[in-house]
Amino acid sequence: MNRTTDDDRTLPPALADLARTEIDYADGEGIDFEPYDAFDSAEETTDWLRQWTGNPGLDGDAYRVFGQNGAGGLAAVWYGRPGRPLAEQPVVFMGSEGECGVVAGNLSDFLWMLADGCGPLEAVLYEDREPRPDAALTALAERHATTPRRPARAVIAEARAEFPTFTEDIDALCR
């Protein structure tokens, strides 16, 4: 796992804005995601990673957890690009039943994915589902995104192509 010494736990403006935006679950047809209004603490993140993997030797330094789905799976910024700013790091999802994956290559792409009606859980489990654009999330992405708008499928495919071993690397940490 990549480590970072930058322990800034302040949400960037895009995630702070996301925390104030209603996400429509639409009786299971929408996005199953609840953004937090703050990153989890370093201690909470380490505890979560150790529980998720069953590996007491890990720490959560490489993750900034910023939301969850209804079953308790967590979305996090992963410091997968050493030396780069938080907004340029990939977004990952680690579900309550062991599912995981890279869902977006950076925060900007994550916003476009949400705008297309796809949350982190959906990106991991249902990447081929039909787009369901969301007006409020599209407006949020238009305010904050620095990358071109692309469909969720393209965002997910690009992220997985850049980080093809993320899931296997996480699996290797599990005990």
Side-chain angles (χ1 to χ4, degrees):
M1 292 278 94
N2 295 308
R3 296 175 58 92
T4 177
T5 56
D6 174 16
D7 196 32
D8 182 9
R9 300 250 168 205
T10 304
L11 285 181
L15 289 182
D17 199 3
L18 178 62
R20 295 184 297 269
T21 303
E22 185 174 335
I23 297 182
D24 187 7
Y25 181 61
D27 295 322
E29 298 299 317
I31 299 173
D32 183 3
F33 182 63
E34 304 164 17
Y36 297 164
D37 58 8
F39 284 123
D40 278 352
S41 70
E43 296 79 17
E44 290 170 313
T45 302
T46 292
D47 288 346
W48 155 72
L49 189 61
R50 288 175 178 172
Q51 289 176 7
W52 201 90
T53 61
N55 188 337
L58 297 177
D59 65 49
D61 288 354
Y63 299 93
R64 298 293 180 273
V65 176
F66 67 90
Q68 69 179 40
N69 74 319
L74 299 179
V77 176
W78 167 50
Y79 278 89
R81 294 186 181 109
R84 303 274 288 277
L86 182 128
E88 294 178 18
Q89 300 296 340
V91 175
V92 300
F93 179 77
M94 296 170 76
S96 61
E97 301 299 320
E99 61 279 67
C100 73
V102 176
V103 300
N106 55 55
L107 283 177
S108 181
D109 286 349
F110 180 71
L111 298 177
W112 288 125
M113 190 181 82
L114 290 172
D116 202 31
C118 184
L121 170 75
E122 294 83 13
V124 169
L125 294 182
Y126 313 110
E127 66 184 86
D128 290 332
R129 81 184 215 156
E130 288 302 311
R132 190 178 187 273
D134 181 286
L137 294 171
T138 297
L140 183 139
E142 288 170 345
R143 285 192 302 276
H144 295 284
T146 57
T147 55
R149 183 176 189 160
R150 289 177 321 292
R153 288 180 187 163
V155 167
I156 297 162
E158 289 169 15
R160 289 195 182 149
E162 185 175 356
F163 301 99
T165 65
F166 176 79
T167 300
E168 292 79 16
D169 294 344
I170 292 294
D171 287 346
L173 296 174
C174 293
R175 301 293 174 252

